[in-house]
Amino acid sequence: MASHIVGYPRMGPKRELKFALESFWDGKSSAEDLKKVAADLRASIWKQMSDAGIKYIPCNTFSYYDQVLDATSMLGAVPPRYGWNGGEIGFDTYFSMARGNASVPAMEMTKWFDTNYHFIVPELGPDVKFSYASHKAVDEFKEAKALGVNTVPVLIGPVSYLLLSKPAKGVEKSFSLLSLLPKILPIYKEVVADLKAAGASWIQFDEPTLVSDLEAHQLQAFTEAYSELESSVSGLNVLVETYFADVPAEAYKTLTALKGITAFGFDFIRGTKTLDLIKSGFPSNKHLFAGVVDGRNIWANDLAASLSTLQNLEGIVGKDNLVVSTSCSLLHTAVDLVNETKLDAEIKSWLAFAAQKIFEVNALAKALSGQKDEDFFSANGQALASRKSSPRVTNEAVQKAAAALKGSDHRRGTNVSARLDAQQKKLNLPILPTTTIGSFPQTVELRRVRREYKANKISEEEYVKEIKEEIRKVVELQEELDIDVLVHGEPERNDMVEYFGEQLSGFAFTVNGWVQSYGSRCVKPPIIYGDVSRPKPMTVFWSSAAQSMTKRPMKGMLTGPVTILNWSFVRNDQPRSETCYQIALAIKVEVEDLEKAGINVIQIDEAALREGLPLRKSEQGNYLKWAVHSFRITNVGVQDTTQIHTHMCYSNFNDIIHSIIDMDADVITIENSRSDEKLLSVFREGVKYGAGIGPGVYDIHSPRIPPTEEIADRINKMLAVLEKNILWVNPDCGLKTRKYNEVKAALTNMVQATKQIRNQLASAK
């Protein structure tokens, strides 16, 4: 029985690629140095899978930034502003598209389906001249072959690539991106021909958009694309891979009828209903790649249950046609549990990271072919039983409190307009108040202080002194810049979710459980293994200290329950909504303690609210109901004069704007500039928003400093669709990834632009 891995983490077990990228971007190392680190990581990954007995090993899933940007490079779809003049795309053009440069902004970045991974959105139009401009897929196949490893090259499928794209600036929004299919398929044919010539016997096309609610003409595009590719892929085995949800019935019919396709891959973790479709009919003599090992969570597989599922599938498709696989790429999970030397032994026994999942896949494949490893299966069963019966998982008081929430929708007693009036009397803010989102640059020195404190190399007294000094610098800088509502910069936090998880019960933490979010940005998701509560205050000390340093309003900074949920590895033994309600109750107590401490502005970030939205429309209403309810729970008990902010970033919010309004926050700051001010279109279309709102005026993920005039122009565009008395001015997101010289220059221009517009508004009276 054969085994397959959809994709694998790229950063390395100790984030080797992250550090190599940042060293290259800072000019401290060469392109050759970066390529050497990347080649070593690829070789290690391929060897690991080969040694574990995996038959179908992926290649071209490695990326210096993201796989969609790699496809854009392969197709030569470089926006004109980057000045690319043809030829093989190099690092300068590639990273300019991803990060921007001193003269032009980056391309839009958004979430990869319902994950915390991001991709660079292709900008396309009728005038794009596509060309075969990156040979990365072929080069990496040859690289693996030279190492003695036969791999399966992976490409983003042509239809999904177009469906994930957007019309470029200046192109009509109604432009049909699928009309470009005849223009990109010749490049795909060239790539396939090169892979054939290099000796590839299999090729994998990832078509994840097949799990979405697609219209008839979109499904027809798949039929047309693969009919056109049929002669080119002749002689190759072709796998079309789907993941993240069930494949709808009509999409299943389209997919399984595609010409020239050898195999179909399905996610049986998040797509359990697909099994019913397969039972009702699967094409004869085709292979089924069964994703039964979870690529998005870190819990050990229930091997007995997975084996039973596989045996059922075997009875339908035949023994020789079934391949055991992961549900999706392992990119979304941590790399290797072996590196977790400090993790509690009992909890560790419940887990499987990417390296362990490879062995789970192979163990299931062997068991299906009659070579079951009884010891491996027995240890797995014992670990599952231990988790189920462990007293550390359950807290009866928390469960009762969460159950009691269902009798109310938890709304504040006064409407937002009246609350804003009461808050203005207390805060006395100018028109177009300025603020930032929360974090300030995380310097090398600051990271050293936190690292030494965790290692007990400095005392708590020394640590507090150092962090307070950093807060003082951030406060003084904001006052110097004349920002109206301040933040303390979050110097005590390495990561917004990890920080709160460390102080909540029911969470466990890793040392090296890093997961790529975008580019070199990695996060270390906490593990929610049990019921959640807040044993003691988490942020009150630091927020109070910061407020004592200024007379201006200081925001208390919290992460909201939905974001903590969506940015964690969540327990899979109860509904996600139940866990979210528990977190909401914990945050609620913290909010009320901040208010008692004299913090009059409290930001509860829900950056990941949109991210958790199910991919199928039929499931979205229920998610939004409990997610929005969870947010309202956190602040239902505060006074009218306490201003509640929230923040969201890097997703498409237009389709959930009414749910955002239903959150009933006093002020929302939201990413806007990097996505070409897409957010403003909902207000142009007549959506009325009565609360405070701060659409971001510049992109913080680029080192580029936006000119004052550009920011002023953005503010004017906002004023064309939003009332001046509700508009706030702020960056797109937090500033932790930037350098202080960049932050100071950008915020100076932001404040200057705001003052210019204030003067214009005053003159117009």
Side-chain angles (χ1 to χ4, degrees):
M1 186 60 59
S3 52
H4 166 250
I5 304 296
V6 176
Y8 201 76
R10 310 158 180 154
M11 284 290 119
K14 300 287 179 69
R15 296 181 291 163
E16 291 87 343
L17 182 60
K18 168 190 170 66
F19 299 121
L21 282 166
E22 291 173 355
S23 177
F24 173 70
W25 292 337
D26 289 343
K28 296 176 182 175
S29 61
S30 68
E32 291 310 308
D33 293 332
L34 176 56
K35 290 176 182 177
K36 172 71 166 58
V37 171
D40 288 347
L41 283 171
R42 288 193 295 268
S44 172
I45 290 165
W46 292 328
K47 183 178 187 303
Q48 183 181 12
M49 285 192 251
S50 180
D51 289 350
I54 300 298
K55 181 175 181 180
Y56 299 113
I57 297 170
C59 73
N60 198 41
T61 58
F62 180 90
S63 178
Y64 288 104
Y65 212 89
D66 94 80
Q67 69 270 27
V68 181
L69 184 61
D70 291 349
T72 294
S73 299
M74 181 185 82
L75 296 168
V78 181
R81 65 181 177 274
Y82 298 108
W84 176 66
N85 295 314
E88 189 80 4
I89 289 175
F91 281 159
D92 281 353
T93 300
Y94 182 86
F95 288 128
S96 289
M97 289 192 286
R99 306 177 71 238
N101 57 42
S103 56
V104 291
M107 295 166 70
E108 180 184 349
M109 181 170 71
T110 196
K111 296 288 175 73
W112 177 245
F113 294 85
D114 58 347
T115 74
N116 187 30
Y117 181 71
H118 300 66
F119 73 97
I120 303 298
V121 182
E123 302 173 11
L124 305 178
D127 298 328
V128 175
K129 306 291 186 217
F130 295 100
S131 63
Y132 188 5
S134 170
H135 293 68
K136 175 180 174 295
V138 180
D139 292 343
E140 288 187 14
F141 174 80
K142 290 178 178 177
E143 185 182 318
K145 190 176 180 183
L147 294 170
V149 182
N150 189 30
T151 57
V152 178
V154 179
L155 300 174
I156 297 290
V159 183
S160 287
Y161 176 79
L162 292 177
L163 290 176
L164 292 167
S165 302
K166 70 173 187 178
K169 208 166 189 177
V171 175
E172 288 292 326
K173 298 301 177 190
S174 60
F175 173 71
S176 170
L177 293 160
L178 289 175
S179 69
L180 297 173
L181 202 52
K183 294 186 177 182
I184 69 169
L185 288 176
I187 288 95
Y188 273 89
K189 289 179 181 180
E190 287 187 72
V191 177
V192 168
D194 278 359
L195 288 169
K196 261 189 184 179
S201 57
W202 278 83
I203 188 168
Q204 175 179 320
F205 289 109
D206 281 5
E207 294 281 13
T209 55
L210 277 164
V211 305
S212 307
D213 294 311
L214 298 177
E215 297 175 12
H217 76 280
Q218 294 171 318
L219 291 174
Q220 180 61 25
F222 287 94
T223 302
E224 292 170 2
Y226 286 93
S227 293
E228 180 65 25
L229 288 172
E230 184 181 12
S231 60
S232 298
V233 299
S234 177
L236 278 173
N237 293 295
V238 178
L239 163 65
V240 175
E241 185 67 54
T242 69
Y243 36 77
F244 298 152
D246 287 300
V247 175
E250 285 304 311
Y252 179 81
K253 286 180 191 174
T254 299
L255 171 60
T256 52
L258 293 179
K259 293 182 178 179
I261 306 304
T262 314
F264 310 99
F266 299 105
D267 180 341
F268 288 106
I269 301 297
R270 291 179 176 241
T272 52
K273 295 175 187 171
T274 304
L275 185 58
D276 294 331
L277 294 173
I278 292 169
K279 286 177 180 176
S280 67
F282 188 80
S284 58
N285 301 318
K286 300 290 185 181
H287 289 71
L288 171 61
F289 281 57
V292 294
V293 172
D294 194 348
R296 288 184 59 174
N297 216 328
I298 42 66
W299 303 107
N301 188 271
D302 185 338
L303 294 177
S306 294
L307 185 58
S308 175
T309 298
L310 290 165
Q311 287 166 339
N312 286 336
L313 290 168
E314 185 182 59
I316 300 166
V317 305
K319 190 167 191 170
D320 294 337
N321 292 328
L322 186 62
V323 177
V324 183
S325 184
T326 53
S327 65
C328 62
S329 172
L330 298 176
L331 170 70
H332 308 288
T333 190
V335 179
D336 195 343
L337 199 54
V338 168
N339 296 318
E340 301 305 325
T341 55
K342 295 181 180 179
L343 195 58
D344 176 273
E346 183 184 29
I347 293 174
K348 189 174 180 178
S349 74
W350 303 341
L351 308 178
F353 290 0
Q356 288 68 49
K357 289 176 187 292
I358 288 173
F359 286 102
E360 289 181 337
V361 167
N362 205 48
L364 286 165
K366 283 186 172 180
L368 207 54
S369 61
Q371 303 172 56
K372 186 177 181 183
D373 185 333
E374 296 292 350
D375 289 343
F376 192 77
F377 271 70
S378 176
N380 173 259
Q382 288 171 20
L384 294 176
S386 158
R387 182 180 168 208
K388 193 172 183 179
S389 62
S390 175
R392 69 202 306 173
V393 171
T394 306
N395 182 323
E396 225 173 283
V398 171
Q399 291 188 350
K400 283 181 181 176
L405 293 170
K406 293 168 187 174
S408 166
D409 64 357
H410 297 88
R411 293 183 185 274
R412 292 170 76 178
T414 311
N415 68 44
V416 69
S417 178
R419 297 198 308 262
L420 288 173
D421 286 344
Q423 292 155 14
Q424 179 58 16
K425 285 175 186 173
K426 188 166 190 173
L427 299 173
N428 194 29
L429 298 173
I431 199 82
L432 306 180
T434 54
T435 191
T436 64
I437 304 306
S439 61
F440 265 63
Q442 299 269 312
T443 63
V444 172
E445 177 63 17
L446 184 55
R447 293 180 191 278
R448 179 195 64 77
V449 169
R450 285 201 306 262
R451 189 169 57 248
E452 289 186 354
Y453 177 60
K454 279 197 168 186
N456 295 317
K457 291 182 178 177
I458 60 174
S459 68
E460 183 172 2
E461 185 181 355
E462 291 172 299
Y463 171 73
V464 168
K465 182 182 176 184
E466 294 271 14
I467 296 298
K468 279 188 173 179
E469 184 54 34
E470 184 68 21
I471 292 172
R472 188 178 303 282
K473 289 177 187 174
V474 169
V475 170
E476 288 175 354
L477 174 59
Q478 292 171 94
E479 289 188 326
E480 176 191 326
L481 294 169
D482 203 18
I483 289 173
D484 301 306
V485 176
L486 311 190
V487 297
H488 75 291
E490 304 176 8
E492 78 282 14
R493 308 176 194 182
N494 177 60
D495 176 87
M496 59 190 283
V497 173
E498 183 181 7
Y499 176 80
F500 289 100
E502 284 177 339
Q503 300 180 78
L504 294 168
S505 63
F507 283 74
F509 295 88
T510 62
V511 174
N512 289 297
W514 297 99
V515 178
Q516 185 183 19
S517 179
Y518 61 85
S520 69
R521 169 84 170 128
C522 297
V523 294
K524 197 160 41 134
I527 298 164
I528 306 177
Y529 67 84
D531 291 334
V532 177
S533 63
R534 187 205 74 154
K536 61 182 181 179
M538 302 181 287
T539 64
V540 176
F541 176 80
W542 298 116
S543 292
S544 299
Q547 184 63 81
S548 72
M549 299 175 188
T550 181
K551 292 181 180 178
R552 301 187 185 207
M554 173 64 63
K555 285 197 278 192
M557 300 300 304
L558 303 174
T559 303
V562 185
T563 297
I564 290 177
L565 182 88
N566 285 333
W567 286 357
S568 298
F569 290 125
V570 183
R571 57 189 295 190
N572 57 0
D573 58 346
Q574 70 177 15
R576 289 172 70 87
S577 57
E578 296 298 318
T579 304
C580 197
Y581 283 141
Q582 292 179 4
I583 302 169
L585 284 172
I587 299 298
K588 179 178 185 289
V589 184
E590 184 73 11
V591 168
E592 290 165 3
D593 279 353
L594 281 168
E595 184 183 58
K596 288 173 191 170
I599 305 301
N600 298 314
V601 182
I602 302 171
Q603 182 169 307
I604 307 166
D605 284 349
E606 284 295 14
L609 180 85
R610 175 63 173 76
E611 175 186 313
L613 191 70
L615 301 177
R616 305 289 290 281
K617 288 176 184 173
S618 61
E619 300 167 7
Q620 291 175 359
N622 182 55
Y623 165 79
L624 289 168
K625 183 179 179 181
W626 61 254
V628 170
H629 185 195
S630 295
F631 177 82
R632 289 201 306 263
I633 288 166
T634 64
N635 59 87
V636 68
V638 301
Q639 299 172 30
D640 288 354
T641 51
T642 297
Q643 190 167 84
I644 298 296
H645 288 223
T646 191
H647 169 68
M648 297 180 180
C649 56
Y650 301 105
S651 287
N652 180 10
F653 299 106
N654 295 25
D655 56 348
I656 63 163
I657 191 66
H658 293 289
S659 294
I660 291 173
I661 293 169
D662 198 37
M663 291 169 72
D664 199 28
D666 297 311
V667 178
I668 179 170
T669 51
I670 193 163
E671 179 269 325
N672 170 68
S673 62
R674 182 154 183 173
S675 56
D676 293 332
E677 298 156 349
K678 190 191 303 178
L679 173 72
L680 298 186
S681 66
V682 298
F683 303 113
R684 294 189 190 104
E685 291 160 10
V687 171
K688 298 298 180 187
Y689 194 78
I693 183 166
V697 295
Y698 77 90
D699 173 26
I700 61 85
H701 288 298
S702 170
R704 177 176 173 269
I705 309 301
T708 301
E709 298 74 22
E710 180 182 304
I711 296 175
D713 181 57
R714 281 216 166 97
I715 297 170
N716 277 321
K717 286 180 181 176
M718 295 170 191
L719 286 168
V721 292
L722 293 164
E723 296 293 330
K724 64 184 179 184
N725 62 320
I726 66 168
L727 186 62
W728 286 62
V729 180
N730 45 263
D732 264 353
C733 202
L735 304 169
K736 69 185 295 182
T737 61
R738 300 269 52 88
K739 296 181 173 64
Y740 263 105
N741 63 322
E742 297 166 342
V743 166
K744 189 169 182 179
L747 290 180
T748 296
N749 291 354
M750 185 186 85
V751 173
Q752 186 60 38
T754 305
K755 289 180 176 180
Q756 284 180 17
I757 303 297
R758 284 177 187 160
N759 290 336
Q760 290 173 19
L761 291 171
S763 301
K765 282 184 180 178

